[in-house]
Amino acid sequence: MSREIHDIFVIGGGINGCGIARDAVGRGYSVALAEMNDFASGTSSGATKLIHGGLRYLEHYEFRLVRESLMEREILWAMAPHIIWPLRFVLPYHKGGIRPAWLIRLGLFLYDHLGGRKLLPATSVLDMRKDPAGKPLKALFTRAFEYSDGWVDDARMVVLNARDAADKGATIMPRTKVVSARRENGLWHIETTDTVTGRDDSHRARMLINAAGPWVDHVIRSAFGQNEARHVRLVQGSHIVVRKKFDDPRAYFFQNPDNRIIFAIPYEGDFTLIGTTDRDYTADPKDVRISEEETVYLCNAASEYFKEPVRPEDIVWTYSAVRPLFDDGASKAQEATRDYVLKLEGEAGAAPLLNVFGGKLTTYRRLSEHALEKIGAAIGVKGAPWTAKSHLPGGDFPVRGYEAEVAGLKRRYPFLADAHARRLVRRYGTRAVTLLGAARGLDDLGRLFGGDLYEAEVKYLVEHEWARHAEDVLWRRTKDGLRLSKEQAQSLEEYMAAIPAMAG
């Protein structure tokens, strides 16, 4: 048993769990965090990867959520300008469309003025017969509205929160399953198993945070023995990635006849990301896969807009995840609230438990602050809110300083190709220098696994970001899986199996 008594033990290595751990340790709490698999291996790497206010949530009168989300966009951009950046969205319109023009104008007016927009440009109206955004679309769409939101590398945002929490003193335990948790003498006694080594450990904490995402009810049932726990509605969202459908840097917001929406977004330079779907899900979240029905739906929905249809054979990659939405009794999956709910449990004298339900990428920082308010009320206040002016690791450069960072990296390492330098800054920001070290040429970066993924980068991800398998590197820490062959991916897996896990 660990002799240390932590203030807080967090279950869950998604964006909410890692965000709470980072916020708490930064305020002076002693924190341990356990994630059963790899960080962001569930919902937090399966999003549409947007930092957005949620334009469509206005239809469901979720004004508080939309306002909070809009206010967070520029705060998060300033926190992590390497992995978050502005993106303009084009919403094509035609007479007789799903939503009347006046309603769209009203929604976008609220979107521009509900809160927080200082640097992001305002909404504008486009003549699609003249604007380049109209080129890949059918001639039916002669007008469009253009508005601002943001893009995020979702899985990197998660691991950078975990990395910063570790840098500040948190105990981070990836691939660690919580087997049981019980209250005893005013403390939580938590039993864990390392899923790699099989080692069992015991931990003690003054407070327990259940931020297990889609598994939050499973944790309540299995670890706490509350067999009737039913708090979340699991909703499957799937995406497809195809070869680049358009050259424009803007994304598209498409409205479908069933009142759902999808996005078509420039992705990783050479591809287009199309999604998402919304349908209830009842199986184990770890088994979620895109269905044939969803594939056909996304292809057909995008083909209603693009001149060149999107076909299933065009797909180069798919991903699917389960959103753990708080069950508010909504009749349709797409109408269920995206807001979060925090429930504090524990009678006087008993060790408190905080269950975290719902939430989304954009509001994770505010969710963490609200969680810390409840933590303070339960076990005593430490520190003060601090994350609004903070930087995630590598993000300590000006909000509009990406191009300058790329130029500086190329001056320091002139052997880097422009695309390689850009990808390194997008992934690691100022910490790209740590990764490259004293290298004077590509040979100093070691073995090339494919694309521009070198041994030096893989070692950095193992030593600093808990990567253990090729999948961790290729599909979460990076998206190099889009560029490496199966043989190259297998070679990387064999290489990683031969080196020890080192991150701490």
Side-chain angles (χ1 to χ4, degrees), residues 14 33 232 326 360 374 484:
L33 180 148
V232 292
F326 184 72
K360 62 196 196 88
K374 291 186 176 293
L484 269 64

Side-chain angles (χ1 to χ4, degrees), residues 36-50:
M36 187 168 63
N37 299 301
D38 183 30
F39 294 111
S41 56
T43 303
S44 294
S45 62
T48 312
K49 309 181 192 311
L50 300 179

Side-chain angles (χ1 to χ4, degrees), residues 61-81:
Y61 310 108
E62 300 236 32
F63 296 112
R64 192 212 66 78
L65 174 63
V66 173
R67 175 173 167 77
E68 183 173 271
S69 301
L70 290 171
M71 295 179 71
E72 282 298 290
R73 292 178 305 177
E74 294 190 15
I75 293 173
L76 296 180
W77 178 20
M79 275 176 57

Side-chain angles (χ1 to χ4, degrees), residues 41-47 212-216 232-239 276-290 294 319-325 338 358-359:
S41 56
T43 303
S44 294
S45 62
W215 292 272
V216 63
V232 292
R233 179 176 187 167
L234 300 182
V235 175
Q236 179 176 357
S238 297
H239 299 76
T276 182
T277 58
D278 275 300
R279 68 176 198 169
D280 285 310
Y281 186 82
T282 56
D284 190 324
K286 71 178 176 59
D287 298 325
V288 66
R289 300 287 186 276
I290 191 170
E294 289 176 299
Y319 66 90
S320 193
V322 177
R323 304 182 193 94
L325 306 182
R338 265 58 177 175

Side-chain angles (χ1 to χ4, degrees), residues 67-137:
R67 175 173 167 77
E68 183 173 271
S69 301
L70 290 171
M71 295 179 71
E72 282 298 290
R73 292 178 305 177
E74 294 190 15
I75 293 173
L76 296 180
W77 178 20
M79 275 176 57
H82 50 330
I83 61 167
I84 298 173
W85 59 91
L87 189 60
R88 293 288 275 175
F89 287 79
V90 176
L91 197 168
Y93 171 81
H94 69 94
K95 196 169 184 180
I98 308 302
R99 296 166 179 85
W102 69 265
L103 182 62
I104 296 173
R105 284 198 198 95
L106 175 60
L108 290 170
F109 176 83
L110 291 172
Y111 214 66
D112 277 347
H113 295 92
L114 262 178
R117 186 181 60 82
K118 296 178 181 177
L119 299 177
L120 295 171
T123 298
S124 61
V125 179
L126 305 178
D127 182 345
M128 298 292 269
R129 294 164 296 189
K130 298 178 181 178
D131 194 281
K135 186 177 178 181
L137 303 186

Side-chain angles (χ1 to χ4, degrees), residues 50 87-91 246 248-253 263-266:
L50 300 179
L87 189 60
R88 293 288 275 175
F89 287 79
V90 176
L91 197 168
F246 51 90
D248 201 279
R250 292 168 288 186
Y252 292 96
F253 179 119
F263 296 100
I265 304 170

